[in-house]
Amino acid sequence: MTSPTVRRWAMLVAVGALVAPIALWATSQQAGAQEAAQEQALPTLRLSKIQYDPPGDDVLTNTQINKEWVQIHNYGTKSRNLSGWVLRDVTGFRFKFPTGFVVAPGITVTIHTGKGTNKTQHLFWRQGAYIWNNTGDKATLKNSAGKVVDTCAYSGAGQWVSC
């Protein structure tokens, strides 16, 4: 026969063997939920790239000015209506998205600084000069309620920045 102490130890080991997998599973589920919450915290519509110092000389031709742009990507699974949304820089230049402008899932829209005809993936700010400072700036995307959705800042090293 076994002593009561040995039986207690055996029972503790058996209970531990049953409880440990459940505790491990619960911990992994909590970690997965935290990762999902972090992913959900990212906006589905985000600034993706800014070309602030386009190749070539800084001449004030529309062709050259349009080589300066900001890209916004829809990382979500639904189309997003950007009517009334605003893109701005730190000095106060504001681009207001046209009424009825929609970005489909997986699509990137490019907002060019110069003049041109708006299309489904290319919009034009209609400026006659550069907006994004070569030495550093910050793009801010706000929704129609004025809430900041995303920002992208750069220090000016290079010609473009991925956000």
Side-chain angles (χ1 to χ4, degrees), residues 80-101:
R80 298 294 302 268
N81 187 332
L82 301 188
S83 298
W85 285 47
V86 171
L87 172 67
R88 62 171 296 157
D89 77 335
V90 293
T91 61
F93 283 102
R94 296 178 72 233
F95 173 81
K96 189 172 183 181
F97 287 83
T99 301
F101 184 77

Side-chain angles (χ1 to χ4, degrees), residues 4 7 30 35 39 51 67 83 88 121 137 151:
R7 276 186 261 154
Q30 184 179 12
E35 287 175 14
E39 286 178 13
Q51 181 160 290
K67 291 179 184 177
S83 298
R88 62 171 296 157
Q121 292 179 314
D137 209 333
T151 62

